[in-house]
Amino acid sequence: MTDEQARTPQPAPVLEAVDVTVHYPVHRSRGETVHALENASLRLIPGRTVALVGESGSGKSTFARTLALAQTPTSGNILLYGKPASARGRRARRAYARRVQMVLQDPFASLNPLHRVRYLLERPLRLHGSVTGGEDMERRLRALLERVRLTPPERFLEAFPHELSGGQRQRVAIARALAVEPEVLLGDELVSMLDVSIRLEILNLLAALRDEEHLAMLYITHDIAGARYFADEIAVMYAGEIVEYGTAEDVTQTPAHPYTRLLLDSTPDPDRMEFLAGRTNREDGERDVTGDDYGEPPDLVHPPSGCRFHPRCPLARAACRTEQPPHVELTDRHWARCVLLVQPDASRDTTTAELTP
Ligand code: SF4
């Protein structure tokens, strides 16, 4: 999708998160709470992909689980076609799962190794009552495998998960999600455990499914370069908060938040080399955002005051320690939260400046 297409008026979302906050109690006796997600909003639209990008522990998976109603939000709403979504009770849970499916990172863990592919795919078809058996079942099983490009289907139907490659297992996991004809697919790091050569194949498959079947997709990843390739829009998460949101083109070509810049800085991109001019690169051209250069991710039991990124931000100002960064609309579909977007001349915080690469 071109940037121009991404800017055209958007159709109504299938699934929407509105100001969703998730706090987990831990150490009840000490009254401690993990502030996993704060006021996060996004809209999933048929035929479009939103990538949720950030390092481990940034709240991406919590957000996906909340969208799947596997996690109850502390506040905020999950809306399905504009109405509050519910998974209270078995029937409601099943009805919701038929529309919103999640595919996890590790297909080996998510596919029961004791069962053949046939069983793994038959089960959702029977559970959701769409097929009972006989020729119809056989036809649906074959069609499912063909949809995920596992052909000829008879070669895979009787296989056990351990007899398949990582990419083939992930295709089976995707086929199992597709078995109930969902409208939304939530993919949690679903290519991160695969060989690099296989990742592109799976992303191409997902892109084809999205386009051909008009699926609304959430693609969770720590790889912003992959997100640029695959997604229409990118939400950058840091420490439980969305800090930048926009079209994939805007976020990767004109990043506004220092954390987004560091993520991009860790990924060589020939189209964006001017941004890196004047900065020290490793010999291989990569930076490790999670490495010593930028310190450790914050403890979400005691999240940093003010801007949560301030202890690691190379551009932090004194105000960043105490004040919430403003939400700044850069275009009609690109926003970020950073004080520098409204006060570029604010004085530098010298106690964090030593983190500057
Ligand atoms: Fe850095 Fe301050 Fe902007 Fe946060 S608000 S990203 S600490 S400059």
Side-chain angles (χ1 to χ4, degrees):
M1 175 172 293
T2 65
D3 195 37
E4 194 176 334
Q5 285 170 314
R7 289 180 195 286
T8 55
Q10 295 191 332
V14 188
L15 192 63
E16 189 172 4
V18 183
D19 289 333
V20 170
T21 291
V22 176
H23 291 172
Y24 301 107
V26 285
H27 299 302
R28 281 184 194 274
S29 56
R30 297 210 294 264
E32 289 183 340
T33 298
V34 176
H35 299 73
L37 197 61
E38 300 286 350
N39 298 314
S41 300
L42 60 74
R43 295 149 60 94
L44 298 178
I45 289 169
R48 302 267 186 98
T49 304
V50 175
L52 203 50
V53 179
E55 65 195 339
S56 298
S58 60
K60 307 185 300 294
S61 295
T62 299
F63 202 0
R65 284 173 48 76
T66 309
L67 284 164
L69 299 188
Q71 169 69 46
T72 306
T74 308
S75 64
N77 287 302
I78 303 296
L79 305 178
L80 186 66
Y81 288 109
K83 296 191 176 143
S86 167
R88 285 217 185 109
R90 210 165 124 202
R91 188 175 293 182
R93 220 173 16 252
R94 203 167 272 182
Y96 190 75
R98 213 172 60 215
R99 302 179 110 172
V100 180
Q101 279 282 309
M102 196 157 167
V103 181
L104 301 174
Q105 176 181 26
D106 181 358
F108 208 57
S110 64
L111 300 177
N112 188 331
L114 300 176
H115 293 300
R116 297 179 192 273
V117 170
R118 171 183 292 282
Y119 176 88
L120 296 169
L121 298 183
E122 272 185 5
R123 195 155 182 271
L125 290 170
R126 286 186 200 279
L127 264 179
H128 291 272
S130 53
V131 191
T132 49
E135 272 184 32
D136 190 23
M137 175 65 84
E138 211 53 35
R139 190 177 51 75
R140 290 288 295 275
L141 290 173
R142 284 165 189 276
L144 267 177
L145 289 175
E146 280 166 2
R147 275 162 83 189
V148 297
R149 306 346 178 218
L150 285 177
T151 55
E154 54 274 16
R155 199 179 130 211
F156 299 95
L157 270 175
E158 307 307 330
F160 287 99
H162 73 268
E163 295 174 317
L164 304 175
S165 68
Q168 289 169 340
R169 281 197 293 269
Q170 197 57 291
R171 284 171 195 263
V172 172
I174 294 167
R176 186 175 59 175
L178 294 177
V180 297
E181 305 294 340
E183 291 154 83
V184 178
L185 202 63
L186 308 172
D188 190 357
E189 297 273 11
L190 46 71
V191 296
S192 64
M193 293 187 73
L194 304 177
D195 288 348
V196 174
S197 58
I198 308 295
R199 288 181 192 178
L200 196 58
E201 288 178 17
I202 298 291
L203 289 182
N204 283 334
L205 169 68
L206 290 169
L209 290 170
R210 174 195 62 201
D211 297 343
E212 290 162 11
E213 308 191 14
H214 233 48
L215 280 167
M217 282 195 192
L218 181 71
Y219 173 63
I220 293 179
T221 182
H222 57 270
D223 171 20
I224 198 167
R228 181 192 171 192
Y229 163 78
F230 177 58
D232 302 293
E233 294 181 344
I234 293 178
V236 179
M237 284 203 79
Y238 182 79
E241 298 178 330
I242 296 179
V243 296
E244 182 160 1
Y245 196 106
T247 65
E249 184 80 6
D250 281 347
V251 170
T252 56
Q253 296 305 302
T254 54
H257 194 279
Y259 179 60
T260 310
R261 294 178 179 206
L262 293 184
L263 285 177
L264 286 162
D265 205 351
S266 69
T267 311
D269 180 348
D271 293 345
R272 208 183 39 79
M273 291 311 280
E274 79 285 356
F275 173 73
L276 302 177
R279 306 189 70 153
T280 310
N281 286 337
R282 283 184 355 203
E283 274 181 18
D284 59 5
E286 297 199 19
R287 297 200 91 100
D288 180 4
V289 173
T290 60
D292 293 340
D293 274 358
Y294 303 105
E296 294 297 316
D299 167 14
L300 292 186
V301 175
H302 305 288
S305 58
C307 173
R308 288 188 176 185
F309 189 50
H310 86 255
R312 299 168 80 191
C313 180
L315 304 173
R317 271 42 185 171
C320 303
R321 291 166 165 264
T322 52
E323 292 173 18
Q324 288 293 324
H327 173 116
V328 180
E329 302 277 349
L330 301 156
T331 69
D332 60 339
R333 290 207 199 144
H334 184 194
W335 59 260
R337 294 181 203 277
C338 177
V339 70
L340 296 182
L341 299 172
V342 288
Q343 295 175 31
D345 301 325
S347 62
R348 190 77 171 270
D349 181 349
T350 52
T351 59
T352 55
E354 68 267 19
L355 291 174
T356 305

